[in-house]
Amino acid sequence: GNAVHKVDGKSGKVTTLVKNALCRGENGELVKPSEVCIRDGKVYVSNINLTLDGNTHDKPYTISVFDLKK
């Protein structure tokens, strides 16, 4: 799915940080996410919008930003 997970390197525990259903990404949602960068309490995710699992190419909404403090 369209999700970003955090893996604890010591315990192996997996936590889902952000997840959304198949969408076009126009409201900042994830669209076939790829790379993640964390800075100043925010997660920046590049979306590669691959045509897999029923997804079709849409306008290039390529970056999603999520606040970890919320």
Side-chain angles (χ1 to χ4, degrees):
N2 291 326
V4 173
H5 306 285
K6 174 181 135 185
V7 179
D8 184 300
K10 292 182 181 178
S11 70
K13 179 182 176 186
V14 178
T15 305
T16 301
L17 297 178
V18 180
K19 183 174 182 173
N20 57 257
L22 183 63
C23 64
R24 295 178 4 167
E26 59 201 356
N27 296 309
E29 303 96 343
L30 299 171
V31 183
K32 300 298 180 195
S34 176
E35 300 297 321
V36 174
C37 178
I38 299 173
R39 182 177 174 157
D40 297 329
K42 293 185 180 181
V43 178
Y44 298 83
V45 185
S46 63
N47 295 299
I48 55 177
N49 202 10
L50 294 175
T51 54
L52 300 172
D53 304 323
N55 187 56
T56 58
H57 285 291
D58 304 305
K59 290 183 180 179
Y61 302 109
T62 56
I63 301 291
S64 298
V65 181
F66 303 96
D67 192 341
L68 289 176
K69 298 173 187 172
K70 290 185 178 182

